[in-house]
Amino acid sequence: MKLNEYFFNNEYKKIFKWIWIVIFSSLALFGVFVLVVSWGWFGALPPLEELENPKTYLASEIYAEDGVLLGKYYLQNRSNANFDEISPNVFNALIATEDIRFYEHPGIDFRGAGSIVFYALIGKKRGASTITQQLAKNLFPRKKFDNVFNKSTTKLKEWITAVRIEQRYTKEEIITMYLNTVEFGGNAFGIRSAAKTFFGKKTSELNENEAALLVGMLKGITKFNPVSKPEKAFNRRNIVLEQMEKYDFISKQKFDSLIKMPIVLNYREEDHNEGLAPYFREYLRMELLQWCEDNNYNLYKDGLKIYTTINSKMQLYAEQAVQQHLSEWQRKFNNHWKGKEPWGRFTELITAGVHRSDRYKILKQQGLSEDEIMKEFNKPVRMKVFSYTRGEIDTVMTPLDSVKYYKYFLQCGFMSMDPHTGFIKAWVGGINHKYFKYDHVNINSKRQAGSTFKPFVYTLAMDNGWSPCFVAPNQPVQFEGYPDYDPQNADGKMDYQPEMTLYKGLYMSVNRIVMFLMKQLGSNAPQSVIELAKKMGIKSYLPPYPSIALGTADVSVYEMVGAFSTFANKGVWTEPVYIQRIVDKHGNILHESVPKTTEAISENTAYIMEKMLERVTRNGTAAKVKGFYNIPGAVGGKTGTTQNYSDGWFMGITPSLVSGCWVGCEDRAVHFRSMDLGAGGVMAMPIWAYYMQKVTADPSVFKIQQDFEPPKTPLSVEINCDDYNKEDLKKLELIEE
């Protein structure tokens, strides 16, 4: 061998040897570097327990008893979907666009990573993060590092975390977790919220175009937002479809068809003012906040599931019934006061309305004087106002006129419950939650009960052995210690009849008959009535005076519905409840409601009262329940009207459903001026009737029963007497001629 060849070969071997030394040394150093990074020397990695239970903000969800999602409480509108709840189109679009070797790599796509170098050499940028790596970033976002060296470890930490995730989860779990963690804009976090927000669909219903659009948005939720940037979103969607065709997720023929289709959205950002039961959801939120504080949970972050007693169908029927009647009765109210101001001399109501407004509070905070604020309130401005017939109206009016405008509106509270379980089925706290926040159902919202309170007096009498067939004098009644108190019959329309049965006294709502009973029950009768009402669930203060019999006390719809349920539940009061159970994000039951019960009256008394209330809907002030609205089966009820027609009530009972309704204006000084428009039988009862028409026509929520179930032991008093007189109803204008 020649000297130069020998030298060359030895030099080649030396170079080759050093190359391998450098390579192996580099790999060894890299291995050591990976090891120390995994030990957390350059910043902590997510602990293993965090990988098992990654922390993300999850919305708490409220469910109806029939499984319908009523709403959410959240900081981020995020709800997790399961793998089998997501359309395959979404998975196909995501894999085709982001990570075609997703099912092959161990969390890091080394082929893809190698391509970064090639594309960098030719001057192009190319991402190579796998879905698992992106999930690692979404689940465990880290603060920006202080120095360049630490920044260089970020990708390595991401790789290590991705591998760890792959070791602990299946591919199906990983891709599902990824779709649950990404943001889509429009306050939609996760695929489930995105499907609902942009298309009004379940995730399982997304088609190829919709899936491609949502996946395309992940490249830039602002840049490719289909609401604000429809053209860019369209082009981006088609790129995703092109990837799906490239990797055989869709055919060429289908691709050619899909890319021509326009974007069709059903976009609706979740609004707490909309959807079913907004008043109930807000009332529930306040209670849940206290429960979470007491039990160390966060309502807005911890992904609780609250299963309520509300039935979504019955809730819808109730809201429809309120809209159906009050849209008509509001028109009558406006015509009734046309050209006049219903608050009359009570102008302080308008001043109070101004002071309660957000505009006034803002101006006050800015330091304006009262005169300066009123000048602002008299300047016309553009605004949106509520209306029944036209929805939101864009208009121009002064803020002062808007305060007056809203004083005209009739308000409503309606609640329906199962008397046996205590489960509340429907809760309508008002006419529009966006414009009228005050909830007229909850226990703190109280108005005078009027004649709906009379059944408590009759119940006390029946419980003391009186018969509904007893004939009582229809005469003025004087009470010892109250010489000037002489309650009259409403409009004097029943004064012509000198006596009548207790049946008629209740079903014609005759004031003098119930006052006769109060006197006969003794000097302690007011206190006895109060004690009975308390047993039946009335928690409000009740003044211990004879006038309590006429419903002068303020009570809530919530209390009254619960109390009347005692009649339908064989004398046992069952506490109205609205939460069945609270479950954490892992499915563990944290709380279950058990309604309180009290044996308030005897089963026999409850049955007698059912039969007395039944006559109200057949022969009395609510005769239209049977005669006009044709509500089938066993039905009882009681109307209530307060002085000056400020409050109209109706309480309705069936063997398995008890419901109550109040109607009136926000201020008691604003009201109708006549019985034909302002009585409970015309203001409130039709809402209950419309509701019952819908409920009784739906066998999935209500079973019609033809009679109230009699008690097990025989009655000791006579109840089979009849004094129905059609002329009575004609005099009260309660039936047609």
Side-chain angles (χ1 to χ4, degrees), residues 560-581:
M560 290 294 283
V561 174
F564 271 68
S565 291
T566 307
F567 301 131
N569 196 31
K570 300 184 182 299
V572 177
W573 171 75
T574 301
E575 177 189 26
V577 296
Y578 36 84
I579 298 174
Q580 291 195 59
R581 63 189 182 280

Side-chain angles (χ1 to χ4, degrees), residues 42-260:
F42 296 98
L45 288 166
L48 294 179
E49 57 270 20
E50 278 194 36
L51 291 177
E52 298 292 342
N53 298 288
K55 294 180 180 179
T56 55
Y57 288 176
L58 285 178
S60 291
E61 299 176 334
I62 315 105
Y63 287 93
E65 67 167 3
D66 48 353
V68 173
L69 180 65
L70 294 175
K72 303 176 186 177
Y73 306 120
Y74 55 81
L75 295 178
Q76 296 178 349
N77 183 13
R78 185 197 308 278
S79 299
N80 285 346
N82 296 323
F83 180 80
D84 56 5
E85 294 174 329
I86 302 174
S87 167
N89 295 318
V90 178
F91 296 129
N92 295 341
L94 180 62
I95 290 170
T97 310
E98 298 292 329
D99 190 358
I100 193 58
R101 286 179 290 277
F102 172 71
Y103 284 103
E104 301 167 13
H105 62 64
I108 306 169
D109 184 1
F110 291 103
R111 285 174 57 188
S115 69
I116 295 177
V117 178
F118 172 75
Y119 280 97
L121 291 173
I122 61 174
K124 291 185 178 181
K125 286 186 178 181
R126 181 182 177 89
S129 288
T130 65
I131 289 173
T132 315
Q133 288 173 255
Q134 293 179 53
L135 172 62
K137 287 190 291 186
N138 293 341
L139 286 179
F140 310 108
R142 298 290 158 186
K143 294 179 180 179
K144 291 183 178 180
F145 295 101
D146 296 328
N147 55 65
V148 176
F149 183 72
N150 276 344
K151 285 183 180 180
S152 68
T153 67
T154 301
K155 178 62 72 174
L156 189 54
K157 291 178 181 180
E158 179 189 302
W159 284 7
I160 295 169
T161 304
V163 172
R164 286 181 168 186
I165 289 173
E166 289 273 352
Q167 291 171 346
R168 285 163 177 78
Y169 296 98
T170 66
K171 289 289 187 179
E172 288 76 14
E173 289 172 328
I174 291 169
I175 198 168
T176 303
M177 288 173 66
Y178 172 78
L179 287 167
N180 283 331
T181 58
V182 288
E183 181 181 358
F184 289 89
N187 202 24
F189 293 79
I191 188 66
R192 188 176 178 188
S193 295
K196 182 75 181 296
T197 299
F198 287 93
F199 302 108
K201 286 185 172 185
K202 297 179 180 178
T203 51
S204 59
E205 299 170 341
L206 293 170
N207 59 36
E208 291 96 336
N209 258 336
E210 293 162 345
L213 180 71
L214 292 178
V215 169
M217 288 174 63
L218 299 178
K219 194 77 172 176
I221 58 174
T222 302
K223 184 177 181 180
F224 300 113
N225 188 298
V227 178
S228 57
K229 307 283 177 55
E231 186 175 342
K232 289 185 176 180
F234 178 85
N235 293 333
R236 177 64 187 162
R237 180 205 68 180
N238 286 353
I239 290 173
V240 176
L241 290 172
E242 184 178 358
Q243 290 294 104
M244 293 174 72
E245 188 270 332
K246 175 181 176 182
Y247 293 112
D248 297 325
F249 290 114
I250 57 175
S251 65
K252 180 67 166 65
Q253 182 180 4
K254 189 155 197 173
F255 167 72
D256 291 337
S257 172
L258 291 174
I259 61 171
K260 297 174 184 176

